[in-house]
Amino acid sequence: MRPRGDPAAAPHVSIILPVHNAERWLHECLRSVLQQDFAGPMELSVFNDASKDQSLRILEEWKAKLEGSGIPVVIGGHESSYPRGVGYSKNQAIAQSSGSYLCFLDSDDVMMPQRVRLQLDAATRHPTSVFTSHGPTVVMPTWFCSRAWFSHVGPFDEGGQGVPEDLLLFYNHLRKGGGVVRVDQSLVLYRYHPDAATHSVLETTIWTHRVRFLEERVLPRWAAFTIWNAGRQGRRLYRSLSAGARRKVVAFCDVDENKIRKGFYCYEDSEEAPKPRVPILHFRAARPPFVICVKLDLTGGEFEANLRSLHLQEGRDFLHFS
């Protein structure tokens, strides 16, 4: 651990930590704050969202340790009967903090020692971006941004359990013209367990938000497009689209000869008469632009190789959606 700057100096980075019944994970999480190799002034801002376990006792114990090492700690919270949710807790932790940059941390996760230092460096160079690290970071984000940019984009949705507050903030970020910069290192150990807040968000909720954002931000620019995958995921996307967006789908494309041999997909649940019949083509016969509905890790590299070949040889553009 590197020596820190003047602990009396205004914090440059605020680590934002919402907490709810996290006693099993808090010791590891807070130890990772203490072990950051960032030498500048930073603080930890915690909001305790009606925890009923020993979380508050652990926080008070670590407050002394952290402040003894030059990291000021602000602890807020409430003791009502029910938690207000992750979005509310993050907003409260931000409001009581004072750093110029915000580093978001979940109470069941662990930061690598270089996280704050590397993401602050990225944030300084890209002031209107949020920053992630190696891994599936939009689903499991390691968000880091300036306070000024968060104020421009936020706050988090406070709808409570079942609301994907990270995803909704990210969409607002994109609407405001923000970008994403990735630090190509593993910066956070993401803990996946049955009690994680992410399990309260239904997969269908995530899917619906993603489809609506696709229709809002991308499809208005296209007169027509092709869905790459005539299987379950591609058909699901087609059925999820609004009627106007469905009319822009000129074809499905695939590599499966059995699907191609069928010739078309008929949307039987449509209220239109006659029912829409969308051609199914071999991918080399299909026209761009494409919305790709293929799980890239399930193709053994074959799909990626075909996609790379098309992109390099023909200059086609693609949007991946799965």
Side-chain angles (χ1 to χ4, degrees), residues 253-254 281-286 306 309-310 313-314 316:
C253 70
D254 214 295
L281 309 174
H282 188 273
F283 77 91
R284 289 197 176 276
N306 287 333
S309 173
L310 268 179
Q313 294 176 17
E314 304 180 26
R316 299 191 182 188

Side-chain angles (χ1 to χ4, degrees), residues 92-120:
Q92 293 300 308
I94 292 166
Q96 70 188 18
S97 71
S98 56
S100 301
Y101 290 87
L102 306 175
C103 173
F104 293 95
L105 176 64
D106 290 340
S107 57
D108 51 1
D109 293 344
V110 176
M111 297 192 291
M112 299 299 104
Q114 69 273 25
R115 181 194 175 185
V116 170
R117 174 173 54 84
L118 292 180
Q119 289 194 294
L120 177 60

Side-chain angles (χ1 to χ4, degrees), residues 3 5 9 19 24-25 106 115 118 124 129 139 141 147 157 165 174 178 185 214 216 283 297-298 301 307 314 321:
V19 171
R24 286 175 291 173
W25 327 116
D106 290 340
R115 181 194 175 185
L118 292 180
T124 302
S129 291
V139 178
R147 178 181 298 273
D157 188 291
E165 81 290 336
L174 296 178
Q185 293 191 34
L214 176 72
E216 173 194 334
F283 77 91
D297 58 342
L298 299 181
L307 189 62
E314 304 180 26
F321 189 99

Side-chain angles (χ1 to χ4, degrees), residues 7 10 14 23 37 39 61 85-86 116 122 127 139 177-178 207 214 252 259-260 262 267 269 287 298 315 321:
S14 295
E23 63 180 5
D37 65 13
E61 174 186 329
V86 180
V116 170
V139 178
W207 177 269
L214 176 72
F252 291 91
K259 295 173 185 173
I260 296 168
K262 290 180 181 178
Y267 181 33
D269 292 335
R287 294 179 296 160
L298 299 181
F321 189 99

Side-chain angles (χ1 to χ4, degrees), residues 59-258:
L59 289 169
E60 294 291 352
E61 174 186 329
W62 273 93
K63 176 180 170 71
K65 294 179 183 179
L66 290 163
E67 292 190 337
S69 296
I71 304 173
V73 179
V74 182
I75 300 176
H78 67 98
E79 299 178 356
S80 61
S81 301
Y82 300 100
R84 295 282 301 273
V86 180
Y88 173 80
S89 299
K90 288 179 181 177
N91 287 336
Q92 293 300 308
I94 292 166
Q96 70 188 18
S97 71
S98 56
S100 301
Y101 290 87
L102 306 175
C103 173
F104 293 95
L105 176 64
D106 290 340
S107 57
D108 51 1
D109 293 344
V110 176
M111 297 192 291
M112 299 299 104
Q114 69 273 25
R115 181 194 175 185
V116 170
R117 174 173 54 84
L118 292 180
Q119 289 194 294
L120 177 60
D121 178 66
T124 302
R125 290 183 284 110
H126 303 276
T128 61
S129 291
V130 296
F131 309 91
T132 70
S133 67
H134 177 71
T137 53
V138 173
V139 178
M140 298 173 237
T142 50
W143 298 139
F144 190 113
C145 66
S146 72
R147 178 181 298 273
W149 185 251
F150 177 83
S151 298
H152 180 64
V153 171
F156 285 99
D157 188 291
E158 297 186 357
Q161 189 175 37
V163 174
E165 81 290 336
D166 274 322
L167 182 65
L168 297 179
L169 182 80
F170 181 60
Y171 285 164
N172 284 337
H173 165 77
L174 296 178
R175 290 183 182 104
K176 297 291 181 71
V180 178
V181 174
R182 190 177 78 173
V183 175
D184 279 323
Q185 293 191 34
S186 295
L187 300 182
V188 173
L189 173 65
Y190 179 91
R191 198 186 305 271
Y192 191 81
H193 59 89
D195 296 328
T198 187
H199 294 302
S200 71
V201 183
L202 298 177
E203 188 275 337
T204 52
T205 299
I206 297 288
W207 177 269
T208 298
H209 281 299
R210 293 182 67 207
V211 172
R212 297 288 83 83
F213 193 74
L214 176 72
E215 292 191 332
E216 173 194 334
R217 304 293 293 179
V218 178
L219 299 188
R221 292 181 275 156
W222 296 347
F225 66 98
T226 298
I227 296 177
W228 188 314
N229 185 3
R232 182 172 62 88
Q233 283 291 94
R235 296 195 303 269
R236 181 189 183 192
L237 174 60
Y238 178 82
R239 294 192 300 267
S240 300
L241 294 172
S242 64
R246 279 198 301 269
R247 285 191 285 270
K248 293 186 175 185
V249 178
V250 295
F252 291 91
C253 70
D254 214 295
V255 296
D256 187 324
E257 293 296 339
N258 292 326

